[in-house]
Amino acid sequence: MAEGHAPSARTVELPGLRMRVVEAGAGEPVLLLHGFPQDSREYARVMDHLAGTARLIVPDLRGAGGTGAPAGRYDLATMQGDLLALL
């Protein structure tokens, strides 16, 4: 990976959810979303190639990886709300 583009992880406080987010690179933001039952690690190799051309934002979705798994709904509308709050 190019120098200065190494991934870093942090936890973001969203309404009702603590979300782990991995970021790398600089430039135009690109949101990479994993499927079920993966987490942000699914994009490790892709991030190595794209971090030199874009700012990558790779969250662990609700209930996956390092993100919290609160009681409640895990439907598309809820996860969409999580992502809008993140952005």
Side-chain angles (χ1 to χ4, degrees), residues 1-9 22-26 47-48 51-52 54 56:
M1 180 169 291
E3 189 173 326
H5 297 289
S8 64
V22 179
E23 297 176 276
M47 291 176 73
D48 288 344
L56 306 176

Side-chain angles (χ1 to χ4, degrees), residues 15-41:
L17 183 67
R18 292 174 51 98
M19 180 179 276
R20 179 179 180 271
V21 180
V22 179
E23 297 176 276
E28 291 293 318
V30 174
L31 182 64
L32 300 176
L33 301 177
H34 63 81
F36 178 81
Q38 293 85 20
D39 62 24
S40 59
R41 294 174 296 178

Side-chain angles (χ1 to χ4, degrees), residues 34-77:
H34 63 81
F36 178 81
Q38 293 85 20
D39 62 24
S40 59
R41 294 174 296 178
E42 188 71 19
Y43 287 105
R45 286 192 226 170
V46 173
M47 291 176 73
D48 288 344
H49 297 287
L50 295 178
T53 61
R55 176 179 172 221
L56 306 176
I57 304 166
V58 191
D60 286 342
L61 298 176
R62 177 179 289 257
T67 293
R73 299 182 61 100
Y74 283 70
D75 59 4
L76 184 59

